[in-house]
Amino acid sequence: MDVQAISTLIKEKITEQIFPGAVVAILKEDKVIYHAAFGNRIIKPKQAPMLNDTLFDLASLTKPIVIGTLTMQLVASGKLTLDAPAQTYLPAFKQPNITCRHLLTHTSGLPAWKPLYIETDSPEDVIEHLGGMQLEAAPGEKVTYSCLGYILMGKLISTVMEESLDILAHDTIFKPLGMNRTLYTPPSQMHDNCAATEDSNSFERRMVKSGQHGRYYRGHNWREGVIIGEVHDENANYLGSVSGNAGLFSNARDLITFCQMILQDGGTFLSAECVKAFATPQTPSNESEQRSIGWHILADGSMYHTGFTGTSIRIDFEKGLAAILLTNRVHPDAQRTGIIECRNQFHRIVFG
């Protein structure tokens, strides 16, 4: 692996303003072979350098790390059945044909996204509201990446365990693994070490203003100023910053620990059967996008997931490699483009 090529690539992308900064970590088997920080974690309203231990809003990496892992723990303990209707656990969700597996593999038929903070009167109405939505496809028919499905799955897990997601994740994932800097809702004293995200959540503002909910745009209490240490995703923010679709913060060091566990087939933390559920496609074979429990499975069999804020993890069992690329590409505005091509170039260097 050409680590100099990685360094050159990241520096070029910072110069091209694809993102203000990044942290890269490469794991080979159980050894960290590369870990470096580049650029800045904040450029507005002040400038602060990126650090190896900078905390990132992981955005949708919350889905595999929290929901995928908690789900398989519950399956292993007999408290959850993947092919049971979600309504079994959430009676207010009036969609009898949607199973937990459908939600986890993005085959529920639910839309990709809706501004729940505008469509509902309170967070308590979300489950019933999701149950009343018109499906875009029959359950199990096609893959449509859906944040809504993972919001619902987070509600389901919390209901089954009679505990909030943040406490469940801490007690059953992060504490046992020693992921001491991974959490929902970082306390204020940790904010200064967080990578900044957007200024005033302008991306979602534009989506709402230009879409079918435009007439409600001015009625929403949009956040003002650069978001630092708070969840970027507005639905997750509406749900108290603790959600199944987003809200998790972590740094590269803790994510290395998580990836080590996966590459060790769960080690003493998870069973090999649980890890197999993460690594095995569980969606229709005719679908171009293959999904497992929590993860996107690439053509070469790698487990992969990204986050809207500019984060990603890729794990290749055959090569014994894991690559973590954390960027703040939405800072100070999420209109920045080029992150997909950057990831592709990065992964070509790392995985060949």
Side-chain angles (χ1 to χ4, degrees):
M1 183 190 309
D2 188 346
V3 295
Q4 184 58 48
I6 294 173
S7 175
T8 299
L9 172 68
I10 300 302
K11 290 175 181 176
E12 285 177 353
K13 298 306 177 183
I14 291 172
T15 300
E16 294 170 9
Q17 299 186 344
I18 305 302
F19 40 74
V23 177
V24 177
I26 312 293
L27 178 69
K28 174 69 173 175
E29 306 297 348
D30 61 348
K31 294 182 179 179
V32 179
I33 59 175
Y34 188 70
H35 186 186
F38 303 85
N40 294 297
R41 67 183 187 273
I42 304 171
I43 58 173
K44 181 183 179 181
K46 62 179 182 179
Q47 184 169 301
M50 191 69 76
L51 305 171
N52 275 356
D53 66 349
T54 292
L55 283 177
F56 285 80
D57 176 345
L58 297 184
S60 285
L61 285 181
T62 304
K63 295 178 174 76
I65 294 171
V66 174
I67 300 302
T69 306
L70 287 176
T71 293
M72 292 315 301
Q73 287 178 330
L74 291 177
V75 169
S77 66
K79 295 177 181 177
L80 186 72
T81 301
L82 289 176
D83 292 315
Q87 190 178 13
T88 302
Y89 307 100
L90 292 175
F93 180 65
K94 305 300 185 183
Q95 290 283 0
N97 297 321
I98 294 178
T99 67
C100 297
R101 192 186 303 273
H102 290 145
L103 295 172
L104 292 158
T105 58
H106 299 283
T107 55
S108 67
L110 285 168
W113 176 85
K114 294 285 185 180
L116 301 178
Y117 47 89
I118 286 175
E119 293 188 347
T120 63
D121 292 328
S122 76
E124 288 70 35
D125 299 334
V126 163
I127 296 172
E128 184 176 355
H129 182 70
L130 290 171
M133 281 188 179
Q134 182 175 350
L135 300 183
E136 296 182 347
E141 183 177 271
K142 63 178 292 188
V143 174
T144 298
Y145 181 83
S146 175
C147 284
L148 303 182
Y150 269 76
I151 288 172
L152 189 70
M153 200 65 206
K155 294 286 188 183
L156 188 153
I157 290 170
S158 184
T159 299
V160 169
M161 295 303 293
E162 299 181 331
E163 188 58 272
S164 63
L165 276 182
D166 54 340
I167 293 175
L168 286 170
H170 173 268
D171 291 351
T172 66
I173 304 174
F174 311 141
K175 186 177 180 180
L177 286 173
M179 297 170 66
N180 300 320
R181 304 285 286 181
T182 304
L183 72 169
Y184 284 94
T185 59
S188 57
Q189 61 267 29
M190 296 175 72
H191 287 191
D192 189 54
N193 191 39
C194 290
T197 54
E198 254 195 314
D199 187 356
S200 308
N201 212 329
S202 53
F203 183 84
E204 284 202 37
R205 285 191 188 214
R206 287 190 294 269
M207 281 205 304
V208 170
K209 189 175 183 179
S210 63
Q212 64 178 342
H213 301 90
R215 63 188 183 278
Y216 301 111
Y217 164 76
R218 295 188 183 280
H220 182 62
N221 185 27
W222 296 102
R223 288 176 285 175
E224 299 293 340
V226 174
I227 299 170
I228 305 174
E230 296 179 3
V231 62
H232 171 259
D233 181 88
E234 199 66 19
N235 276 331
N237 181 59
Y238 176 64
L239 296 170
S241 302
V242 178
S243 182
N245 71 309
L248 192 65
F249 284 73
S250 188
N251 63 14
R253 178 63 258 180
D254 274 11
L255 295 178
I256 287 168
T257 298
F258 187 84
C259 291
Q260 284 175 322
M261 179 272 293
I262 296 293
L263 283 173
Q264 293 166 359
D265 280 333
T268 59
F269 176 72
L270 282 178
S271 70
E273 289 75 17
C274 289
V275 175
K276 185 178 181 180
F278 299 150
T280 305
Q282 302 194 29
T283 43
S285 58
N286 63 336
E287 286 287 296
S288 60
E289 186 177 293
Q290 293 294 302
R291 293 280 173 173
S292 68
I293 302 302
W295 293 85
H296 179 190
I297 307 301
L298 301 181
D300 68 353
S302 295
M303 293 166 52
Y304 183 53
H305 214 288
T306 64
F308 183 79
T309 50
T311 58
S312 67
I313 293 175
R314 180 169 169 175
I315 303 172
D316 187 321
F317 282 95
E318 186 175 334
K319 291 182 170 68
L321 275 172
I324 297 160
L325 175 60
L326 306 177
T327 81
N328 50 350
R329 71 104 194 165
V330 297
H331 177 62
D333 191 286
Q335 289 191 101
R336 294 168 179 268
T337 60
I339 187 64
I340 294 175
E341 178 55 29
C342 174
R343 286 177 182 141
N344 290 340
Q345 291 176 268
F346 171 67
H347 289 141
R348 283 195 291 270
I349 296 170
V350 176
F351 297 99

